[in-house]
Amino acid sequence: MARGQRKTLEEKIAAKLELIEALTTRMESEKRELEELYQEKRRKELEAVSDIIEEAGLEPEEVAEVLQQYIEQREQAAS
């Protein structure tokens, strides 16, 4: 059985470099998609909080003040 021509070392190196570059490009693309998903998740969470604030008839400043008080109380309790 005859075998095909073997690749030279230089060809193998070039092929590996090409593969690494393709994988790097893919990884960067996946990272961008992941960041977009995180941003979408955050937007939805903020919309849910905004809806609750609106339904309660509160002003954002009131909510911020209550949250700040809660954080301070929690920090004191942890100390």
Side-chain angles (χ1 to χ4, degrees):
M1 273 193 163
R3 292 187 181 194
Q5 185 177 5
R6 301 189 123 235
K7 289 185 178 180
T8 66
L9 191 54
E10 288 79 18
E11 290 171 327
K12 289 179 183 179
I13 290 170
K16 286 296 177 186
L17 286 172
E18 188 176 317
L19 176 61
I20 290 169
E21 187 172 323
L23 291 171
T24 301
T25 300
R26 168 86 188 271
M27 193 168 69
E28 289 169 359
S29 174
E30 295 295 333
K31 283 181 180 180
R32 279 192 302 273
E33 284 186 41
L34 179 61
E35 183 58 34
E36 289 171 6
L37 290 171
Y38 280 135
Q39 289 176 2
E40 182 180 348
K41 179 182 179 211
R42 186 162 198 266
R43 244 188 332 275
K44 287 185 178 193
E45 290 170 345
L46 290 172
E47 285 175 8
V49 170
S50 180
D51 289 345
I52 292 169
I53 292 169
E54 188 176 321
E55 289 171 9
L58 298 171
E59 293 294 321
E61 295 80 17
E62 293 174 288
V63 176
E65 185 179 325
V66 169
L67 285 173
Q68 186 61 44
Q69 290 172 1
Y70 171 78
I71 291 168
E72 289 170 4
Q73 290 172 357
R74 197 167 107 186
E75 288 173 350
Q76 289 174 357
S79 300

